[in-house]
Amino acid sequence: MRSLLRPLLTCVLALVLMPLAQAATQFLLNENCPPSFELMDDGSCELRNLYQFYDSLQDMGVGGTQTSLPAHRDGFTPKQIDLGRFLFFDPALSGDGSTSCASCHHPDKGFSDGRARSIGINGHEAERSAPTLWNVAFLKRLFWDARSGSLEEQAQGPLFHPHEMGNSEAQLRQTLNDNSTYRALFKQAFPDSNSSDVELPQLYSALTAFQTSLISLNSRYDRYAHGYHAALNQQEIEGMNVFRSFVARCAECHTPPLFTNQQIAVIGTPEPEGRALDIGAEVTFDVAKLKGGFKVPSLRNIAKTAPYMHSGRFETLRETVEFYTKGRGHAVPEGVDMHLHWHIWEPNLTDYELDRLVDFLGTLTDETFKPQIPQRVPSGLTPIDHLPQQGESS
Amino acid sequence: MNKGTVFALVIALAAFAGGMFVGKGGGDQAPVITDSGAGASYVAPAEDMSGELVLSGSNTNVAGSSAGFTEVVVEEGQSIQAAVTAASPRTIIRVMPGTYNETIYIDKDDIRLMGVIKESRRAILDGQGTMNDAILYSGNNIVIEGFVITKYKGNGIMGQAGNNFEIRNNIIVDTGVYGIFPQLGQNGIVELNVVSGIEDAAIYIGMSDNIHVAYNEVFDSVAGIEIENSRHSIVEGNYVYNNTGGILAFITPGLPIKTTYDVLIRNNWISGNNTKNFGAPGSTVGGIPAGTGIMVMAADDVVIENNIITNNKTVGILAVDHNTASQLTNITIDPESDPNSDGLKVLNNLMSNNGYDTVDELKAIMLTELKTGNPDIFAVGPSKDSCIINRHRYVTFGVDDFAECDFANTDTIGNYLLPQVAPRDRSTPEQRAKTTYMAICAGCHTYTGRMIGPPVKIIQALYMDNPQGIVDYITNPVKKREDYPEMPPQDYLDEETRMAVAKYMLGRTR
């Protein structure tokens, strides 16, 4: 009796559970805003952070400990943000289905990829290092050479670059429209759209929505800044004081609270062995004095995004900070006329000070709002795919 | 051909090609004579600019009253930083005469660091040539008075975004890059300091608003006083001598705040600033020719009035645009900055014996007009809406197209300081609670769903009518649930915020 009943029960249970299991595998877009966002009456998500208690000179978002942040992007709906998350992790966005945004901007690698230069489809190596996406909502310009003014525009760079995601507008549009799940999800996220098809601007918008939700503002440094001075230990405070001193001058360009002033700086870092000089922002602005200039990156979560600089020349933060004390222009190739930034000088930092700088940079880490990697994506492909391998970084 | 000659040629050619840089000769018309006492007064143009508050007050006590402050005394042999670290906001720290070897940082509001001066013995901050900066502050309402600061590698006194500061009565000798450098702050006064032997600017106001620099003695430095990417500032009554350049009003390209305007330079003594430039290679001031009295670069609405400007060998007053400067010096180009010095207003000044040994670059520009002589006032590059009075008194270049000013003095403007700026944190406890909940709590707790921590609904059931219970728990959490990770302590939030956020959490309905 018993032995008969058991398989029967199991069978009944399975029948009862099946619809549930099926429901769970459908793609539901989140109706709540991500952490650090408030759901407004109009259905959009607005950023909330403790720096909103402060102001800043000329509202530029640069200053000291208690200064407001620069202007930011927000106002997307929870569904747009969540759709962006599925898209971000879906390799279907690449030309051959091998590579997703997350392949080079992986949440477990500081939204970078641990490589000196990223690897795109077919093993192609990109020209530069993948920048982190943490706090990208605050950036006025995108790409190392500042050539893009919005995340929507920026997204089209890697999507259609033959060495990165290698897709074409036509193919991408077709991939999304051929997928009934995506059609439904885009409809949910963009209910006011006039088109019955998925349009590429909606894709760019959803990707922007997701990326602007990546907020990292609750590091130990932030606790110090808001007034809890026990958040940093003595060595870290020493490092902070070196960082903002006018000897090291780090804070002059990596200005709090975002730890970048969002300007172009020509600092003359070396390229990896055997690579030609990258002239950077000279091309963007067509100004010779900007030869070798790059956007000053934010240092938030910097400990998570080795290797460093635009082409990943430095493996460690210690090597990176040491660059600044090895002499103005020491790595500029012979015969190149480079107009180095005035803050690049010879600060003669001691080994002790360099170590403390690294200690301090470690206090800028905060990944508490790391988003979940979806277990499945609408294309049915393996989320992310093309994972960078451990120890494959150079 | 040396570098200077090449530059001179480039400039001369550019000037010829441009044709408009140097105004046409004045000729023999009878001079317009304006009596500075009888004319109208200057009205600052800035009142309609982006709602910035500009006052014409006489207040110089911008840090507020110190009534009710706690006082502590630091004796020689004790640590000033230890006193700062231990201090609550609203503390006066009196530092007794003696020598102190330390870097002091102040990341809290309402701290007054007062050096006690006894029979002319002062508290001396000595960086021994190895320490970085003497005093760093980011707090509001900071007062620093009465110190001697010497032998630091970086700055003497450096502010990062502190508002309402008073830096007064300090002697800063031979100490690195900047003597006094408030940056990114609003409403501050730098007065009655003596600063010398600085390899960049002795007093450097960087990216700041509403600043008053008065009655300082600055000498033997590369730049005496520099107002950079700043607005609504007055430089008055200073004694500025033996520097490379005396007083500068600049827009430096490549900084996040892109303007300088409404700067009054008046009643200063600017004399013999002929020291060879010893600025660091690549520094902005490294390109200033020795012998420059006042230099305006790309700044707008600079008023120059009632200064004694004598014995500056290159030029008394030099106004230049970015495009010219970038050919001569390290200055880069910033597409987001207006490159020209517009709205320059030169009122009466005593100018004598300037430009007697001027540089090739200026000579070359003069040659394009077939002019010679020792320039008192020299304007190069476009400069619209500029004016001057009594121009016949000076040897001038490039100002012939300037209008006659329709005012003759700035007597109605006392200073540009504000009544104390409102506290930096303007939020109510309710706003604090909500923002803190959204910015921190919601990272781990949702209303009904399981996240890193248990749902808010369950917490509400546990702590109904007991916000103190939540405060106690989040201050010192213990692991309660097998299936959830332990909560990190939230003791970095102040008591009031913890209580407010606890109440907010109990009141949530979604």
Side-chain angles (χ1 to χ4, degrees):
Chain A
M1 188 73 175
R2 267 194 134 147
S3 57
L4 274 176
L5 207 60
R6 187 164 284 200
L8 193 70
L9 252 177
T10 316
C11 210
V12 171
L13 263 176
L15 279 170
V16 171
L17 285 175
M18 200 132 69
L20 273 178
Q22 243 170 12
T25 57
Q26 275 167 9
F27 292 92
L28 287 177
L29 294 181
N30 199 338
E31 298 192 3
N32 294 311
C33 296
S36 211
F37 287 84
E38 179 181 1
L39 184 60
M40 308 306 288
D41 289 341
D42 69 357
S44 67
C45 300
E46 280 190 11
L47 179 63
R48 296 286 173 259
N49 64 74
L50 300 189
Y51 286 98
Q52 290 168 343
F53 297 146
Y54 316 127
D55 54 17
S56 69
L57 196 81
Q58 302 277 321
D59 291 327
M60 290 305 293
V62 283
T65 47
Q66 299 194 347
T67 301
S68 60
L69 284 153
H72 65 269
R73 296 283 305 274
D74 63 3
F76 296 97
T77 65
K79 289 184 174 179
Q80 288 165 346
I81 294 169
D82 207 29
L83 171 59
R85 183 174 68 102
F86 285 118
L87 291 162
F88 185 87
F89 290 98
D90 196 336
L93 267 57
S94 61
D96 63 355
S98 72
T99 305
S100 70
C101 305
S103 299
C104 301
H105 300 282
H106 194 292
D108 295 338
K109 292 179 177 291
F111 278 99
S112 181
D113 59 4
R115 294 175 165 279
R117 291 166 305 286
S118 298
I119 303 291
I121 67 170
N122 296 326
H124 283 300
E125 189 182 75
E127 292 297 307
R128 293 179 185 142
S129 171
T132 181
L133 301 181
W134 283 114
N135 297 322
V136 78
F138 297 97
L139 298 186
K140 293 182 187 69
R141 302 196 195 99
L142 290 309
F143 291 120
W144 277 102
D145 58 10
R147 68 181 182 273
S148 176
S150 73
L151 282 164
E152 288 87 341
E153 181 192 326
Q154 178 277 332
Q156 299 167 56
L159 279 171
F160 305 127
H161 194 291
H163 291 178
E164 297 185 33
M165 295 170 81
N167 214 332
S168 68
E169 290 191 15
Q171 184 187 325
L172 181 53
R173 204 170 176 283
Q174 183 163 2
T175 303
L176 295 172
N177 280 296
D178 285 352
N179 183 310
S180 59
T181 306
Y182 269 130
R183 289 186 81 100
L185 295 180
F186 272 88
K187 203 77 210 159
Q188 284 181 49
F190 299 96
D192 301 332
S193 171
N194 296 324
S195 168
S196 59
D197 284 351
V198 175
E199 301 295 340
L200 290 183
Q202 295 171 337
L203 165 72
Y204 309 145
S205 188
L207 287 172
T208 300
F210 172 65
Q211 292 175 84
T212 54
S213 76
L214 304 172
I215 300 298
S216 168
L217 296 169
N218 292 330
S219 67
R220 287 194 296 119
Y221 164 78
D222 294 299
R223 294 176 180 190
Y224 181 95
H226 297 310
Y228 182 68
H229 290 181
L232 303 187
N233 67 33
Q234 193 52 41
Q235 294 199 327
E236 290 162 344
I237 289 174
E238 285 178 44
M240 176 176 68
N241 285 334
V242 175
F243 184 87
R244 60 183 171 174
S245 78
F246 217 75
V247 175
R249 304 187 185 182
C250 314
E252 293 301 306
C253 292
H254 297 284
T255 314
L258 196 58
F259 289 85
T260 170
N261 66 0
Q262 306 208 45
Q263 304 298 303
I264 304 293
V266 181
I267 65 173
T269 59
E271 301 292 346
E273 293 290 337
R275 283 187 67 85
L277 176 70
D278 183 342
I279 61 172
E282 176 179 1
V283 177
T284 308
F285 298 95
D286 193 23
V287 171
K289 279 198 167 181
L290 295 179
K291 184 190 298 297
F294 294 97
K295 198 164 55 94
V296 175
S298 169
L299 300 183
R300 287 183 173 275
N301 279 332
I302 192 70
K304 296 287 176 182
T305 61
Y308 299 104
M309 301 298 185
H310 63 275
S311 50
R313 168 63 188 255
F314 300 125
E315 292 284 338
T316 64
L317 278 176
R318 185 59 163 72
E319 284 172 75
T320 310
V321 295
E322 193 179 14
F323 161 80
Y324 293 91
T325 198
K326 287 172 96 171
R328 179 178 160 86
H330 70 271
V332 176
E334 216 165 306
V336 173
D337 184 16
M338 206 179 269
H339 192 74
L340 293 169
H341 196 280
W342 64 95
H343 285 315
I344 297 296
W345 72 317
E346 319 233 328
N348 299 317
L349 299 173
T350 62
D351 281 344
Y352 182 83
E353 289 176 310
L354 295 173
D355 290 340
R356 298 295 78 75
L357 277 175
V358 174
D359 292 342
F360 173 65
L361 293 172
T363 71
L364 298 174
T365 299
D366 163 39
E367 299 184 306
T368 44
F369 297 159
K370 186 154 76 175
Q372 287 210 328
I373 301 172
Q375 291 183 342
R376 297 170 62 243
V377 286
S379 68
L381 296 168
T382 309
I384 304 175
D385 213 345
H386 184 73
L387 264 174
Q389 301 299 303
Q390 210 66 32
E392 197 195 352
S393 65
S394 54
Chain B
M1 222 174 356
N2 68 25
K3 232 176 173 185
T5 322
V6 176
F7 279 136
L9 268 177
V10 169
I11 290 307
L13 289 171
F16 258 129
M20 77 298 186
F21 284 167
V22 181
K24 299 287 165 274
D28 296 326
Q29 301 103 319
V32 180
I33 297 173
T34 306
D35 175 5
S36 57
S41 249
Y42 177 58
V43 178
E47 279 157 300
D48 56 355
M49 283 189 186
S50 61
E52 289 162 18
L53 182 57
V54 179
L55 295 183
S56 301
S58 57
N59 173 41
T60 56
N61 185 10
V62 295
S65 160
S66 62
F69 276 40
T70 306
E71 293 206 23
V72 297
V73 175
V74 178
E75 305 274 359
E76 186 168 19
Q78 297 177 322
S79 157
I80 303 170
Q81 183 58 43
V84 172
T85 302
S88 300
R90 302 173 59 75
T91 297
I92 297 174
I93 298 169
R94 297 203 187 279
V95 183
M96 299 306 286
T99 300
Y100 300 81
N101 308 118
E102 52 182 318
T103 287
I104 300 154
Y105 59 96
I106 309 172
D107 292 320
K108 49 186 95 173
D109 292 348
D110 289 295
I111 299 292
R112 296 183 181 218
L113 214 52
M114 312 292 272
V116 175
I117 306 168
K118 255 178 124 174
E119 291 171 348
S120 87
R121 285 185 62 238
R122 287 174 175 246
I124 300 168
L125 305 179
D126 185 344
Q128 300 175 307
T130 59
M131 294 178 195
N132 290 341
D133 309 281
I135 301 173
L136 290 165
Y137 68 84
S138 75
N140 279 333
N141 317 333
I142 302 297
V143 179
I144 299 165
E145 271 190 34
F147 289 91
V148 169
I149 297 175
T150 190
K151 295 196 168 49
Y152 285 83
K153 288 166 67 185
N155 294 337
I157 300 169
M158 179 173 189
Q160 287 175 329
N163 298 332
N164 318 320
F165 55 86
E166 299 174 21
I167 300 170
R168 186 181 287 119
N169 192 354
N170 300 288
I171 300 170
I172 302 179
V173 192
D174 184 20
T175 192
V177 187
Y178 299 116
I180 297 172
F181 177 27
Q183 188 183 28
L184 294 162
Q186 186 171 26
N187 203 37
I189 183 158
V190 178
E191 66 177 3
L192 299 161
N193 300 283
V194 180
V195 189
S196 65
I198 308 293
E199 73 168 51
D200 202 300
I203 295 174
Y204 171 26
I205 308 300
M207 292 190 280
S208 294
D209 286 347
N210 303 92
I211 308 296
H212 199 70
V213 182
Y215 315 118
N216 300 283
E217 179 182 358
V218 293
F219 58 99
D220 292 350
S221 301
V222 174
I225 298 170
E226 179 174 357
I227 306 292
E228 183 194 77
N229 298 38
S230 296
R231 291 137 302 276
H232 316 309
S233 294
I234 296 182
V235 181
E236 71 175 14
N238 300 284
Y239 182 24
V240 183
Y241 62 98
N242 283 357
N243 307 289
T244 303
I247 296 177
L248 318 175
F250 277 13
I251 295 176
T252 292
L255 294 173
I257 295 177
K258 310 271 181 199
T259 59
T260 294
Y261 54 82
D262 192 16
V263 178
L264 271 50
I265 301 172
R266 63 185 184 187
N267 306 335
N268 300 286
W269 185 355
I270 306 162
S271 192
N273 291 289
N274 299 319
T275 295
K276 186 174 182 303
N277 195 322
F278 58 99
S283 65
T284 308
V285 299
I288 296 173
T292 303
I294 293 176
M295 183 167 169
V296 178
M297 180 174 72
D300 293 346
D301 295 316
V302 177
V303 182
I304 301 175
E305 180 200 13
N306 279 351
N307 301 286
I308 295 176
I309 307 172
T310 58
N311 305 315
N312 303 291
K313 70 178 182 181
T314 292
V315 63
I317 299 172
L318 174 64
V320 65
D321 63 315
H322 276 157
N323 296 331
T324 307
S326 74
Q327 296 172 60
L328 295 171
T329 69
N330 293 301
I331 295 298
T332 181
I333 290 290
D334 187 336
E336 294 177 73
S337 279
D338 184 303
N340 301 329
S341 305
D342 296 324
L344 178 63
K345 299 148 190 20
V346 183
L347 304 181
N348 279 339
N349 292 280
L350 189 158
M351 303 189 76
S352 169
N353 195 38
N354 296 302
Y356 57 83
D357 182 17
T358 199
V359 291
D360 290 345
E361 290 87 340
L362 297 195
K363 282 182 192 161
I365 295 172
M366 287 156 68
L367 274 176
T368 64
E369 282 285 309
L370 304 177
K371 283 194 172 184
T372 53
N374 304 340
D376 287 310
I377 303 174
F378 203 111
V380 58
S383 178
K384 69 173 162 45
D385 302 327
S386 293
C387 72
I388 184 169
I389 62 175
N390 296 322
R391 71 187 76 194
H392 58 280
R393 292 180 181 172
Y394 320 112
V395 178
T396 64
F397 288 87
V399 305
D400 294 347
D401 296 336
F402 283 25
E404 285 293 315
C405 299
D406 54 10
F407 54 89
N409 60 66
T410 62
D411 293 352
T412 55
I413 297 172
N415 61 47
Y416 282 148
L417 297 168
L418 310 177
Q420 193 178 337
V421 171
R424 160 158 40 198
D425 181 348
R426 295 159 303 170
S427 57
T428 63
E430 293 72 41
Q431 289 169 322
R432 274 197 91 79
K434 182 177 168 186
T435 303
T436 305
Y437 179 87
M438 296 292 173
I440 295 168
C441 311
C444 298
H445 302 277
T446 57
Y447 190 64
T448 50
R450 184 200 161 96
M451 235 167 115
I452 295 162
V456 172
K457 240 181 154 167
I458 289 180
I459 298 169
Q460 286 176 339
L462 277 171
Y463 290 97
M464 205 178 4
D465 302 325
N466 182 19
Q468 186 61 47
I470 295 184
V471 172
D472 293 344
Y473 181 76
I474 67 175
T475 305
N476 192 9
V478 288
K479 189 164 171 62
K480 277 197 168 178
R481 294 163 192 274
E482 267 311 304
D483 49 342
Y484 286 95
E486 185 176 324
M487 179 175 168
Q490 307 299 318
D491 51 355
Y492 58 91
L493 300 170
D494 61 64
E495 186 96 27
E496 194 189 7
T497 304
R498 269 175 277 164
M499 176 54 82
V501 81
K503 288 178 179 165
Y504 183 84
M505 185 177 244
L506 291 177
R508 295 283 294 169
T509 56
R510 64 176 193 191

